[in-house]
């Protein structure tokens, strides 16, 4: 894959480094996904059509690490940057996405939950058929950046400090052992993060992290809170085109953003209740 697979952005007279940049978030790619992941899945045919649109409209996909390098002052963005990201590590990324990415020469980033992948670290918590480590290595060899997505895919903001640190560090440790290089990018399971979660991910050695947010990514969001847009099974090709072009993105994503904010309030209250139950009313 030639487009955007280096340490920085492709050469050329691209725009300045301020963004905004659409970061696409995919999950399972499958004809018949498990019911629990169907809504967030995409059919292989829809994915191929979406990638063809990116190619036809002159988009240049970058890895997460490449975008971060530009936003740290190394190089410039291409004319139409976009990020293609996959969460969790579903087997369809290898079966269906890899051939399409290779056909177009597109870069991408895969964020793996190491305890969900088939193999020696499997915690039997996955929701559908997952990649095995040989497939992950094949993806990496083809130019796909492999990032971390925790070990067991928990709601990180609901964990105590010890478990939070373990989830991030264990994930990075396993990916480094299996691939021979430590991952530098991370994506928060469920898209949830707090300042405490972001600090833990940074302490584990990750250099940038992606949330959800359902908005275009901008440099001023900071390297540990970059926003993404969700591509669903219900996303039509017309909606997809408007999302990546930035046209009507605010209207298209308004419902998802409202849900994200509502969940944040609920989760903050839940976390506060957990702390009170653990420490007692006095906060001791």
């Amino acid at each position: 894959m030639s487009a955007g697979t280096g340490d920085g952005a492709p050469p050329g007279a691209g725009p300045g480094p301020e963004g905004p940049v659409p970061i696409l978030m995919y999950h399972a790619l499958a004809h018949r996904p498990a019911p629990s992941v169907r809504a967030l899945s995409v059919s292989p045919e829809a994915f191929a059509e979406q990638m063809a649109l990116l190619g036809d409209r002159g988009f240049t996909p970058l890895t997460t690490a490449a975008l971060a390098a530009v936003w740290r002052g190394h190089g410039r963005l291409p004319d139409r940057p976009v990020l293609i990201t996959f969460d969790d590590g579903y087997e369809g990324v290898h079966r269906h996405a890899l051939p399409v990415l290779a056909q177009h020469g597109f870069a991408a980033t895969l964020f793996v939950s190491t305890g969900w992948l088939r193999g020696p670290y499997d915690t039997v918590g996955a929701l559908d058929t997952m990649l095995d480590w040989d497939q992950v290595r094949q993806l990496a060899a083809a130019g796909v950046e492999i990032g971390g997505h925790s070990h067991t895919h928990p709601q990180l903001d609901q964990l105590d400090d010890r478990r939070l640190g373990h989830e991030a560090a264990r994930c990075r440790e396993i990916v480094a052992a299996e691939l021979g290089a430590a991952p530098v990018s991370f994506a928060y399971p469920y898209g949830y993060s707090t300042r405490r979660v972001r600090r833990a991910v940074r302490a584990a050695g990750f250099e940038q992290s992606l949330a959800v947010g359902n908005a275009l990514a901008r440099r001023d969001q900071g390297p540990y809170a970059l926003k993404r847009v969700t591509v669903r099974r219900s996303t039509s090709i017309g909606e997809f085109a408007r999302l990546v072009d930035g046209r009507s993105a605010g209207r298209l994503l308004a419902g998802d953003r409202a849900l994200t904010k509502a969940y944040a309030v609920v989760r903050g209250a839940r976390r506060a209740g957990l702390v009170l139950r653990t420490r007692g009313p006095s906060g001791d």
Side-chain angles (χ1 to χ4, degrees):
M1 298 179 193
S2 59
T5 56
D7 292 335
E18 298 302 323
V21 176
I23 302 181
L24 306 173
M25 180 179 66
Y26 291 93
H27 290 81
L29 267 65
H31 295 290
R32 293 179 294 277
S36 57
V37 300
R38 181 175 177 81
L40 285 177
S41 71
V42 171
S43 73
E45 294 81 8
F47 179 77
E49 186 179 20
Q50 292 162 4
M51 296 303 101
L53 183 147
L54 295 180
D56 290 344
R57 298 198 177 187
F59 281 91
T60 300
L62 308 173
T63 62
T64 302
L67 176 66
V70 172
W71 279 351
R72 288 189 174 96
H74 305 291
R76 296 176 65 82
L77 292 176
D79 286 332
R80 307 201 81 182
V82 65
L83 272 65
I84 303 163
T85 70
F86 303 90
D87 281 10
D88 303 340
Y90 296 99
E91 194 269 345
V93 176
H94 183 275
R95 180 187 300 270
H96 300 299
L98 181 57
V100 176
L101 295 171
Q103 175 188 348
H104 293 283
F106 283 173
T109 302
L110 166 66
F111 296 103
V112 296
S113 293
T114 49
W116 278 18
L117 301 188
R118 289 180 288 150
Y121 317 103
D122 192 347
T123 59
V124 197
L127 303 177
D128 206 342
T129 304
M130 309 304 288
L131 297 162
D132 63 32
W133 283 100
D134 283 342
Q135 292 172 318
V136 174
R137 281 187 282 271
Q138 290 167 21
L139 285 159
V144 175
E145 178 191 6
I146 308 301
H149 196 45
S150 80
H151 184 50
T152 64
H153 202 281
Q155 299 174 2
L156 294 177
D157 58 335
Q158 302 298 301
L159 303 182
D160 60 35
D161 290 346
R162 182 189 63 79
R163 290 183 61 204
L164 171 58
H166 173 78
E167 282 287 336
R170 181 60 175 152
C171 173
R172 190 168 187 267
E173 174 186 80
I174 291 173
V175 173
E178 290 292 334
L179 302 186
V184 298
S185 304
F186 189 88
Y188 305 110
Y190 307 103
Y192 302 132
S193 74
T194 60
R195 183 176 298 178
R196 184 177 67 95
V197 170
R198 294 190 287 272
R199 283 199 304 262
V201 168
R202 181 173 184 172
F206 292 99
E207 297 177 10
Q208 55 271 333
S209 297
L210 304 185
V212 179
N214 283 298
L216 301 184
R218 299 178 182 274
R219 187 182 185 183
D220 61 10
Q221 291 164 0
Y224 292 92
L226 297 177
K227 295 182 179 180
R228 294 187 285 175
V229 296
T230 307
V231 185
R232 307 174 183 274
R233 207 166 190 88
S234 60
T235 303
S236 71
I237 191 63
E239 291 170 336
F240 182 84
R242 291 192 292 275
L243 286 178
V244 296
D245 283 339
R247 293 181 290 113
S248 304
R251 178 178 58 81
L252 288 169
L253 298 171
D256 282 343
R257 282 202 301 271
L259 283 174
T260 299
K261 291 179 180 178
Y263 288 149
V265 172
V266 171
R267 296 171 65 75
R270 186 184 303 161
R271 175 63 186 170
L274 177 64
V275 170
L276 282 175
R277 288 194 300 273
T278 303
R279 297 182 179 178
S282 67
D284 294 337

